[in-house]
Each structure stands twice: as C-alpha cells, then as structure tokens.
Amino acid sequence: MTDFSDGAVLTRLRDFLTTAELQDGGRLPPERELAEALEIGRGALRKALATLQAEGVVWRHVGKGTFTGERPIDTVADINAMVHRTNPLEVMGARIAFEPEVARCAALNATPSQIAELRSCMIKAQQAPTWRLYEQWDNRLHRLIGESSQNSLLLGLLDTLNAVRRAVTWGRLRDTPVRPPVNHHSFEEHERIVEAIANRDGAGAADAMRKHLRSVESHMRDMR
C-alpha cells in the first residue's frame, strides 16, 4: 500500500465515486476490496469515509454496507407498504405535483456554490459513458435541487418520494446505445431547469421542471 496523505486519500476516494458504476442502490464495495482497489490502508479509508459521511456524500447501514448519498429519511409511513400500493405512473404524478415547487424554492434560495454544482452535475450527466452513470448524476442533480431549496422538510419529503421511486420504477430498455444519445431529451431539459435556478427565475424553474417530468412520463408510457 502507498502511504498517501489524508487529503490524497480523500481525493482518490472522491475520484472513485465520480466514475464508479455502483449497484445495489449505490452501495460501495466492502472496505477490504475498496482499500485494495485504491491502494490505501483500511484505516485511512475509514477516515476518508467518515469525512464524506459528515459531508452527506455517503451513509452507512450497519450490517449492509456504505452507500452514496445521504441516509434515507425515516418516516412514520411504511415506505415498503407504499411501494406495494403504488406504481410508476402514480410516482410520476406525485413528482409532477411536487418537484416543480421544489425547483421554485431552489431558484430563490440556491447558493452560488450549489448553482455551480448543479451545472457540474448537468455536464457530468451529459458526458456519462453509460446509462448507470448517467442515472447516478441525474439522481444527484435532482436531489441537489432539493438541497438548494434550503428547506429540510421539502428535502425529507423528496427523499421519501425518491425511495419509493427507486423501488417501483420500470426498468428502461437498454438495447442501443450503451449510453444516452447526444440528443437525449433530458439534457436540454436539465439545462433549462438549471439556468432558471441560476437566474433566480422561480416561475421559470417550476415550469421547466414540470415540462421535464412530463417528458419523462411520456417516455415511460412509450416503454410500457
């Protein structure tokens, strides 16, 4: 193992998370495998993971592993029961009703650094070499819009909705190509959302988000 500084270990781990195709809900490889892959010690890896966990980049579930993103919000409602009662089109209807207002709040409250990260996520989604990586950046973009609302309750509701969405969304058809095409509808739609937020245009952000989600809904119907 190479003796990297704490900062270098953190950079290597961030780079890994940027490019890795993680499965099982974004679960990282076991610590031993990850340490070997990054050529670092397990102690240094744990320290870096703790830093990312404090930042909300990863979260840990005892007995199950470490996952990307923030720990899902615990709710009174039984998410599993909701999953069994609903379907993908109902989920899209809920998103269309809810997420435009989250985007409106983001346009009013996003910090300059959050706007810069929104643009970065948008570009990384466009440049993703595989569908899985595209979806990871797409998920990050939508959650960051929730974070940019500066409203913890809205963000908690968005996390709950996303937990249900991940459990019930239909699998997409992935015959060809292996990555989103250059004219994928979401690219331009994401740009409109992000630019409206950057321009502090609440109504424009809400409208752009609504049109984007209706476009996603239309594509979902076409794949039934």
Side-chain angles (χ1 to χ4, degrees):
M1 298 294 177
T2 306
D3 186 17
F4 292 106
S5 67
D6 290 347
V9 171
L10 196 56
T11 297
R12 290 174 73 84
L13 183 54
R14 289 187 194 277
D15 290 344
F16 170 82
L17 294 177
T18 298
T19 58
E21 295 191 30
L22 304 175
Q23 301 183 20
D24 299 328
R27 183 170 61 183
L28 276 64
E31 282 188 3
R32 178 182 57 79
E33 294 180 16
L34 186 54
E36 291 177 356
L38 298 178
E39 298 182 336
I40 58 178
R42 293 181 68 175
L45 173 62
R46 291 191 187 103
K47 188 173 182 180
L49 286 171
T51 298
L52 294 186
Q53 184 176 16
E55 295 176 0
V57 176
V58 301
W59 63 281
R60 298 180 183 183
H61 189 298
V62 177
K64 291 188 177 180
T66 303
F67 299 79
T68 55
E70 293 193 1
R71 180 181 295 276
I73 303 298
D74 291 329
T75 62
V76 176
D78 183 347
I79 290 179
N80 288 330
M82 284 192 285
V83 168
H84 290 300
R85 289 197 303 267
T86 192
N87 60 68
L89 289 177
E90 278 193 356
V91 172
M92 281 307 308
R95 293 186 70 189
I96 291 167
F98 179 66
E99 290 191 49
E101 294 308 309
V102 176
R104 186 193 303 274
C105 290
L108 299 176
N109 299 308
T111 66
S113 63
Q114 285 173 326
I115 291 171
E117 189 177 353
L118 282 169
R119 286 182 168 139
S120 176
C121 287
M122 178 183 69
I123 292 170
K124 287 175 179 175
Q126 293 171 352
Q127 296 174 343
T130 66
W131 278 107
R132 187 176 295 279
L133 281 175
Y134 163 76
E135 287 161 357
Q136 287 180 18
W137 286 114
D138 175 71
N139 289 338
R140 176 58 188 151
L141 175 67
H142 280 268
R143 192 180 193 280
L144 183 58
I145 292 171
E147 294 172 16
S148 300
S149 72
Q150 313 300 339
N151 186 310
S152 60
L153 181 55
L154 284 180
L155 182 59
L157 293 171
L158 181 64
D159 281 343
T160 300
L161 178 56
N162 283 334
V164 176
R165 175 177 64 84
R166 284 192 294 268
V168 302
T169 298
W170 285 310
R172 292 184 174 90
L173 299 178
R174 298 298 192 221
D175 294 336
T176 57
V178 296
R179 67 176 302 279
V182 294
N183 62 345
H184 185 49
H185 67 93
S186 287
F187 294 164
E188 184 177 351
E189 293 161 7
H190 284 164
E191 288 181 6
R192 290 173 181 169
I193 296 167
V194 172
E195 289 311 305
I197 291 172
N199 292 330
R200 307 299 183 186
D201 180 3
D207 184 60
M209 178 64 81
R210 186 175 296 106
K211 288 178 178 177
H212 168 54
L213 295 175
R214 290 199 181 280
S215 177
V216 174
E217 180 187 44
S218 176
H219 282 76
M220 286 176 65
R221 290 181 183 274
D222 290 342
M223 289 187 295
R224 293 181 67 183

